[in-house]
Amino acid sequence: MGLTFLQILLGITAVSTALMGGLFYAYSCSVNPGLGRLSDIGYLSAMQSINRAILNPVFFASFLGSLALLPVCTWAYFSYSVSPGSWCVLGATFVYFIGVFGVTMAGNVPLNNALDKADLAAASAGQLAQQRTAFEERWNRLNTVRTVAAVGTVALMVAGCIGLR
């Protein structure tokens, strides 16, 4: 028995969302705690570097790919069957759009853009401490929200995959 289009689409979408969940989870449990141990200049410099490096085709393929695949997957699943599995995929779509994409665009990206404009080399120790205070706690809190949302998206996608009959 061969795989159907819907099964392939569900699999690709599940992998794409899992990659994003893994990325945010890794930040939450290792990258952010590690960066938190750095001095103010070290922390801010590292975040500037990371925020610039992540803007690459591999990241965008998963981040925006999930954004595109989820509604297509939802439509395809509902076209096949209105079932608990299709509702799980619809839930995954909403959780990703709001909790991952929305939080990233409305919260993390503006913080990243503000940090990117900071001239760290010209800043005093007090200015660096102030910049870090304005950035770190809020960015980490937003990352926790999108981590939970991304993991929830993956769980809903898995449930949707299991629900396909």
Side-chain angles (χ1 to χ4, degrees):
M1 175 171 132
L3 292 176
T4 67
F5 171 75
L6 181 55
Q7 288 170 320
I8 293 168
L9 183 60
L10 279 167
I12 292 169
T13 305
V15 168
S16 181
T17 60
L19 289 170
M20 294 314 305
L23 174 76
F24 296 131
Y25 175 76
Y27 263 83
S28 290
C29 68
S30 64
V31 175
N32 290 339
L35 292 175
R37 295 176 179 160
L38 297 175
S39 66
D40 292 340
I41 187 68
Y43 173 84
L44 294 169
S45 296
M47 285 302 293
Q48 276 185 340
S49 182
I50 290 168
N51 290 337
R52 291 171 184 159
I54 202 163
L55 301 177
N56 66 70
V58 175
F59 169 75
F60 285 124
S62 296
F63 184 67
L64 298 176
S66 293
L67 191 68
L69 286 168
L70 281 161
V72 171
C73 197
T74 300
W75 172 82
Y77 207 140
F78 272 99
S79 296
Y80 172 77
S81 164
V82 177
S83 65
S86 58
W87 289 106
C88 287
V89 174
L90 176 63
T93 301
F94 279 108
V95 171
Y96 190 87
F97 268 67
I98 295 165
V100 177
F101 185 76
V103 168
T104 299
M105 298 312 292
N108 294 91
V109 168
L111 288 170
N112 293 348
N113 290 342
L115 179 59
D116 191 57
K117 293 176 186 171
D119 182 2
L120 302 179
S124 68
Q127 291 169 322
L128 292 171
Q130 185 178 22
Q131 179 76 37
R132 182 175 184 165
T133 299
F135 181 87
E136 184 177 22
E137 185 178 334
R138 184 158 182 242
W139 196 96
N140 288 346
R141 188 174 40 247
L142 290 166
N143 189 67
T144 299
V145 170
R146 64 186 182 173
T147 300
V148 170
V151 171
T153 299
V154 174
L156 287 165
M157 282 303 302
V158 169
C161 290
I162 292 169
L164 184 63
R165 297 173 196 250

